[in-house]
Amino acid sequence: TRAATVAATRAATHAATVAATRAATVAATDAAEKGAAAACFEMAGMLGLECARRWWVAYQGGNMWPAWDSYLTAARDILGLRLPEHKAYEAWEQAAIEGGFRVLHPEFCMVSDFPEILRVDAENRPHCEDGPSHRWRDGWALYHWHGVRVPSHWIESRNSLPAAEVMAERNLEVRRAGIEMLGWNTILQQLGAREIDADADPEIGTLLEVKLPDVGRTRFVRVRCGTGREFAVCVPPEIDTALAGQAWMAGLTPMDFTRPEVRS
């Protein structure tokens, strides 16, 4: 009894202390943030805060923003358009050709060198499956998957990337890229998908159900294709057998679907 009482008292005291400390910390943090905001406003005023919010206006992409420059030079060089503005544009054009990202200010200009590594996919989007898509000589790097910027460890540690981390990503485009990187088959294995139906033919596959963030319970047919690779295909929630899933993928009803004798 004594041991239980001591343990319960200690636990209650610890919980109360943690809660009180957390509340005091949050209150102090809120007060500090409000004080800092008030000090900034007093020093800079509304115009200063608005300028700070629009800092990006001084930021230009150089050779990394070629689309607009290509449009302007095509009108001049391909279509033969000649405007007085083209003379003023020459300096901007040379800066875009000879340098990377830059920040312009009346008192200074910061210009980035070209990256030592720049990799793209077949559609010219930044992409690399085993390293940075961009890397500069000082070591700073960017990682992309078919045009979508992703965390560096998603690429560098792709083989050990937890599916739960990918599925918890709030940005839908980044999550979609992570799903492509892992593949649904790996994701279903890691998330402990529940088996609904298994066909004797592995090429017909297994019907699985898994709970996904923002979606709920979702069903997949995990199959083995003619090349021996395994993959998973999302199917409607009313599908109740792997065979019905195969029929749905073929655009047929289960009654009309015939098991293929030969797989391509």
Side-chain angles (χ1 to χ4, degrees), residues 105-133:
H105 187 273
E107 298 180 7
F108 63 87
C109 177
M110 296 187 298
V111 181
S112 170
D113 195 2
F114 298 123
E116 64 174 352
I117 291 177
L118 178 58
R119 297 189 175 99
V120 297
D121 63 10
E123 297 183 19
N124 216 31
R125 298 173 298 185
H127 172 76
C128 183
E129 298 185 4
D130 55 6
S133 58

Short mmCIF file of all heavy atoms in Angstrom, two decimals, residues 105-133:
data_model
loop_
_atom_site.label_atom_id
_atom_site.label_comp_id
_atom_site.label_asym_id
_atom_site.label_seq_id
_atom_site.Cartn_x
_atom_site.Cartn_y
_atom_site.Cartn_z
N HIS A 105 20.06 45.04 -54.63
CA HIS A 105 19.77 46.07 -53.65
C HIS A 105 20.50 47.33 -54.09
O HIS A 105 21.55 47.24 -54.75
CB HIS A 105 20.26 45.62 -52.26
CG HIS A 105 19.86 46.54 -51.15
ND1 HIS A 105 20.61 47.64 -50.79
CD2 HIS A 105 18.78 46.54 -50.33
CE1 HIS A 105 20.02 48.27 -49.78
NE2 HIS A 105 18.91 47.62 -49.49
N PRO A 106 20.00 48.50 -53.77
CA PRO A 106 20.72 49.72 -54.17
C PRO A 106 22.16 49.78 -53.67
O PRO A 106 23.00 50.45 -54.27
CB PRO A 106 19.87 50.84 -53.55
CG PRO A 106 18.49 50.27 -53.48
CD PRO A 106 18.68 48.82 -53.17
N GLU A 107 22.47 49.08 -52.59
CA GLU A 107 23.80 49.17 -52.00
C GLU A 107 24.65 47.92 -52.24
O GLU A 107 25.85 47.93 -51.95
CB GLU A 107 23.68 49.43 -50.50
CG GLU A 107 22.98 50.75 -50.18
CD GLU A 107 22.87 50.98 -48.68
OE1 GLU A 107 23.46 50.17 -47.93
OE2 GLU A 107 22.21 51.95 -48.27
N PHE A 108 24.08 46.84 -52.72
CA PHE A 108 24.87 45.63 -52.95
C PHE A 108 24.13 44.69 -53.91
O PHE A 108 22.94 44.89 -54.20
CB PHE A 108 25.14 44.89 -51.63
CG PHE A 108 23.90 44.38 -50.94
CD1 PHE A 108 23.36 43.14 -51.26
CD2 PHE A 108 23.26 45.15 -49.97
CE1 PHE A 108 22.22 42.68 -50.64
CE2 PHE A 108 22.12 44.69 -49.35
CZ PHE A 108 21.60 43.45 -49.68
N CYS A 109 24.84 43.69 -54.40
CA CYS A 109 24.26 42.65 -55.25
C CYS A 109 24.92 41.33 -54.93
O CYS A 109 26.15 41.23 -54.92
CB CYS A 109 24.47 43.00 -56.72
SG CYS A 109 23.86 41.72 -57.85
N MET A 110 24.13 40.33 -54.63
CA MET A 110 24.64 38.99 -54.35
C MET A 110 24.26 38.09 -55.52
O MET A 110 23.08 38.01 -55.89
CB MET A 110 24.06 38.44 -53.04
CG MET A 110 24.47 39.22 -51.81
SD MET A 110 23.94 38.42 -50.27
CE MET A 110 22.16 38.45 -50.46
N VAL A 111 25.25 37.42 -56.10
CA VAL A 111 25.02 36.57 -57.27
C VAL A 111 25.55 35.17 -56.99
O VAL A 111 26.67 35.00 -56.51
CB VAL A 111 25.71 37.13 -58.53
CG1 VAL A 111 25.42 36.24 -59.73
CG2 VAL A 111 25.25 38.56 -58.79
N SER A 112 24.73 34.17 -57.27
CA SER A 112 25.12 32.77 -57.07
C SER A 112 25.78 32.23 -58.34
O SER A 112 25.37 32.56 -59.46
CB SER A 112 23.90 31.92 -56.72
OG SER A 112 24.22 30.55 -56.74
N ASP A 113 26.78 31.40 -58.15
CA ASP A 113 27.43 30.72 -59.27
C ASP A 113 26.50 29.63 -59.81
O ASP A 113 25.48 29.28 -59.19
CB ASP A 113 28.75 30.11 -58.79
CG ASP A 113 29.65 29.71 -59.95
OD1 ASP A 113 29.26 29.95 -61.11
OD2 ASP A 113 30.73 29.16 -59.69
N PHE A 114 26.85 29.06 -60.96
CA PHE A 114 26.10 27.92 -61.49
C PHE A 114 26.30 26.71 -60.56
O PHE A 114 27.37 26.55 -59.96
CB PHE A 114 26.60 27.55 -62.88
CG PHE A 114 26.41 28.63 -63.90
CD1 PHE A 114 27.49 29.12 -64.61
CD2 PHE A 114 25.15 29.14 -64.16
CE1 PHE A 114 27.33 30.11 -65.57
CE2 PHE A 114 24.98 30.14 -65.11
CZ PHE A 114 26.06 30.62 -65.81
N PRO A 115 25.32 25.84 -60.45
CA PRO A 115 25.52 24.61 -59.67
C PRO A 115 26.51 23.68 -60.35
O PRO A 115 26.59 23.64 -61.58
CB PRO A 115 24.11 24.01 -59.60
CG PRO A 115 23.40 24.55 -60.80
CD PRO A 115 23.96 25.92 -61.02
N GLU A 116 27.28 22.95 -59.54
CA GLU A 116 28.20 21.97 -60.12
C GLU A 116 27.47 20.71 -60.55
O GLU A 116 27.96 19.95 -61.39
CB GLU A 116 29.31 21.62 -59.13
CG GLU A 116 28.82 20.93 -57.86
CD GLU A 116 29.99 20.47 -56.99
OE1 GLU A 116 31.13 20.56 -57.44
OE2 GLU A 116 29.73 20.02 -55.86
N ILE A 117 26.28 20.46 -59.98
CA ILE A 117 25.45 19.33 -60.35
C ILE A 117 24.06 19.86 -60.68
O ILE A 117 23.48 20.65 -59.93
CB ILE A 117 25.35 18.29 -59.22
CG1 ILE A 117 26.69 17.58 -59.03
CG2 ILE A 117 24.25 17.26 -59.50
CD1 ILE A 117 26.69 16.59 -57.87
N LEU A 118 23.53 19.46 -61.81
CA LEU A 118 22.16 19.81 -62.21
C LEU A 118 21.59 18.66 -63.01
O LEU A 118 22.03 18.40 -64.14
CB LEU A 118 22.15 21.10 -63.03
CG LEU A 118 20.77 21.57 -63.54
CD1 LEU A 118 19.81 21.77 -62.38
CD2 LEU A 118 20.90 22.84 -64.36
N ARG A 119 20.66 17.94 -62.41
CA ARG A 119 20.10 16.74 -63.06
C ARG A 119 18.60 16.93 -63.27
O ARG A 119 17.90 17.47 -62.42
CB ARG A 119 20.37 15.50 -62.22
CG ARG A 119 21.84 15.18 -62.04
CD ARG A 119 22.03 13.83 -61.38
NE ARG A 119 23.43 13.45 -61.31
CZ ARG A 119 24.19 13.58 -60.24
NH1 ARG A 119 23.67 14.10 -59.13
NH2 ARG A 119 25.45 13.21 -60.24
N VAL A 120 18.12 16.45 -64.42
CA VAL A 120 16.71 16.58 -64.78
C VAL A 120 16.21 15.25 -65.33
O VAL A 120 16.99 14.36 -65.66
CB VAL A 120 16.50 17.70 -65.82
CG1 VAL A 120 16.90 19.05 -65.26
CG2 VAL A 120 17.29 17.39 -67.10
N ASP A 121 14.87 15.12 -65.42
CA ASP A 121 14.28 13.92 -66.00
C ASP A 121 14.02 14.14 -67.48
O ASP A 121 14.44 15.14 -68.06
CB ASP A 121 13.01 13.52 -65.24
CG ASP A 121 11.90 14.57 -65.33
OD1 ASP A 121 12.04 15.53 -66.13
OD2 ASP A 121 10.91 14.44 -64.59
N ALA A 122 13.31 13.21 -68.10
CA ALA A 122 13.08 13.27 -69.55
C ALA A 122 12.24 14.48 -69.94
O ALA A 122 12.27 14.92 -71.09
CB ALA A 122 12.40 11.99 -70.02
N GLU A 123 11.48 15.04 -68.99
CA GLU A 123 10.65 16.21 -69.27
C GLU A 123 11.32 17.49 -68.80
O GLU A 123 10.68 18.52 -68.66
CB GLU A 123 9.28 16.04 -68.62
CG GLU A 123 8.49 14.86 -69.16
CD GLU A 123 7.10 14.75 -68.54
OE1 GLU A 123 6.62 15.75 -67.98
OE2 GLU A 123 6.52 13.66 -68.61
N ASN A 124 12.62 17.41 -68.53
CA ASN A 124 13.43 18.57 -68.15
C ASN A 124 13.04 19.13 -66.79
O ASN A 124 13.29 20.31 -66.50
CB ASN A 124 13.34 19.68 -69.21
CG ASN A 124 14.66 20.41 -69.37
OD1 ASN A 124 15.73 19.84 -69.19
ND2 ASN A 124 14.59 21.69 -69.69
N ARG A 125 12.45 18.31 -65.94
CA ARG A 125 12.14 18.73 -64.57
C ARG A 125 13.29 18.31 -63.66
O ARG A 125 13.89 17.26 -63.88
CB ARG A 125 10.84 18.08 -64.10
CG ARG A 125 9.62 18.46 -64.91
CD ARG A 125 8.40 17.65 -64.51
NE ARG A 125 8.59 16.23 -64.75
CZ ARG A 125 7.65 15.30 -64.57
NH1 ARG A 125 6.45 15.66 -64.13
NH2 ARG A 125 7.91 14.04 -64.83
N PRO A 126 13.61 19.09 -62.61
CA PRO A 126 14.68 18.68 -61.70
C PRO A 126 14.36 17.33 -61.07
O PRO A 126 13.26 17.13 -60.53
CB PRO A 126 14.72 19.80 -60.66
CG PRO A 126 13.42 20.52 -60.79
CD PRO A 126 13.00 20.36 -62.21
N HIS A 127 15.32 16.40 -61.16
CA HIS A 127 15.05 15.04 -60.68
C HIS A 127 16.36 14.27 -60.54
O HIS A 127 17.25 14.36 -61.40
CB HIS A 127 14.14 14.31 -61.67
CG HIS A 127 13.97 12.85 -61.38
ND1 HIS A 127 13.16 12.40 -60.36
CD2 HIS A 127 14.51 11.74 -61.95
CE1 HIS A 127 13.20 11.07 -60.33
NE2 HIS A 127 14.02 10.66 -61.28
N CYS A 128 16.47 13.53 -59.45
CA CYS A 128 17.57 12.58 -59.28
C CYS A 128 17.13 11.54 -58.26
O CYS A 128 16.61 11.88 -57.20
CB CYS A 128 18.85 13.27 -58.82
SG CYS A 128 20.25 12.12 -58.68
N GLU A 129 17.31 10.27 -58.58
CA GLU A 129 16.83 9.19 -57.73
C GLU A 129 17.80 8.80 -56.62
O GLU A 129 17.40 8.12 -55.67
CB GLU A 129 16.51 7.96 -58.58
CG GLU A 129 15.41 8.19 -59.60
CD GLU A 129 15.04 6.92 -60.35
OE1 GLU A 129 15.61 5.86 -60.01
OE2 GLU A 129 14.21 7.00 -61.27
N ASP A 130 19.06 9.19 -56.73
CA ASP A 130 20.04 8.73 -55.74
C ASP A 130 20.93 9.85 -55.20
O ASP A 130 21.99 9.58 -54.63
CB ASP A 130 20.92 7.63 -56.33
CG ASP A 130 21.60 8.07 -57.63
OD1 ASP A 130 21.48 9.26 -58.00
OD2 ASP A 130 22.25 7.22 -58.26
N GLY A 131 20.54 11.10 -55.37
CA GLY A 131 21.34 12.20 -54.88
C GLY A 131 20.65 13.52 -55.15
O GLY A 131 19.49 13.57 -55.55
N PRO A 132 21.36 14.63 -54.95
CA PRO A 132 20.75 15.94 -55.17
C PRO A 132 20.51 16.22 -56.65
O PRO A 132 21.30 15.81 -57.50
CB PRO A 132 21.78 16.91 -54.57
CG PRO A 132 23.08 16.19 -54.66
CD PRO A 132 22.75 14.74 -54.46
N SER A 133 19.44 16.91 -56.94
CA SER A 133 19.20 17.37 -58.30
C SER A 133 20.05 18.60 -58.59
O SER A 133 20.45 18.83 -59.73
CB SER A 133 17.72 17.69 -58.50
OG SER A 133 17.29 18.68 -57.58
#
